[in-house]
Amino acid sequence: MSVRTLPLLFLNLGGEMLYILDQRLRAQNIPGDKARRVLHDIVLTMFNKSFIEELLKPQELYSKKALRTIYDRLAHASIMRLNQASMDKLYDLMTMALKYQVLLCPRPKDVLLVTYNHLDAIKGLIHDNPPLLHLVDETFRQLIEVYGCLSAGEFQLIRQTLLTFFQDLHIRVSIFLKDKVQNSNGRFVLPVTGPVPWGTEVPGLIRMFNSKGEEVRRVKFPHGGNYVIAPKEGSFEVYGDRVLKLGTNMYSVNRPMETHTSGTSKNLASQTQQSIAPNPLAKEELNFLARLMGGMEITKPSGSEPGFRLNLFTTDEEEEQAALTRPEELSHEVVNIQATQDQQRNQELARIMGEFEVKDQPRWSASKGDDLLAMMDEL
């Protein structure tokens, strides 16, 4: 497992979160000031200097439940509120999109280009906010410093760590199903067309060499695909042409995004058992959450500014049903970690987790545009 995977995972999933929220805010004609406030507050939290510094420290990738807690906090960094069922659906869309991108990376190092595509798009969302742009550019520079010197083998380990994290997730997404890049069982279809990895040749030729390293024979074979040479390598600098399109905003075209959890109840039970089983890294996860979440600076909504609730389902009834059918053990509302008691850490995490609670619930307006009850009615 690579100790350099966490920053790439967090930034890419955060980018996907912003893509989804931006698309739905636009689709529902939410007032520009509210939409801007939500996106900018989330970006401010994501790229907080102390948080990024903590994120970039070498550390192992912990459980899905621990990481999910970070995204719960991130999604509530502004005036927008989601209940657990809606957050589940948002997180499902985020994770499946990134899984698809990692699977399709032509070479392991291109995982970094996927990250840069997300950061480029985020800069487009905050183009009118120079302080936020500076924070994202500073993160760019830190990523270049950390990852610019890694070998191909280290990037391969990072990619394998990401694929291990995603391997049990098989959630169907309508965009992928309609584009026929995902099967009905939730597994992705890998293409046999397009450019080959930069620095490689189109398959179909076998070269044989003698003991002196001289080529003595060539044999051609049918590869069954439609490959082409990569036109050029993507830029790994702060500014430049990434060439690779993975990680760009696939929601820029208004399309419905429905998710369906595939698999049987047996699979859910297996995942549940895994989530509540004793974890030898539990104490480290507790410390990890306390450090990361402690670095997040959440902007509290002012008393005079009304908040709004985001519903990722067509109706409130669907949202309630989704919450009822989700196994209780998979709930992300409370992180239950069995570990040796560490009173100081437990108190610190309890204080941080307490900030998740919205004590002053805003009055929900009956207007569809204001309260976003049907904001994700196509999701």
Side-chain angles (χ1 to χ4, degrees), residues 218-237:
R218 290 189 176 192
V219 178
K220 292 185 178 180
F221 67 91
H223 53 73
N226 184 22
Y227 299 103
V228 295
I229 295 290
K232 60 179 180 179
E233 185 178 23
S235 171
F236 289 90
E237 301 301 322

Side-chain angles (χ1 to χ4, degrees), residues 33 64 161 163 320 324 329 337-338 347 379:
D33 57 339
K64 296 179 179 67
T161 304
L163 292 176
E320 292 170 2
L324 290 173
E329 293 85 351
I337 300 177
Q338 301 296 330
Q347 290 176 350
L379 293 188

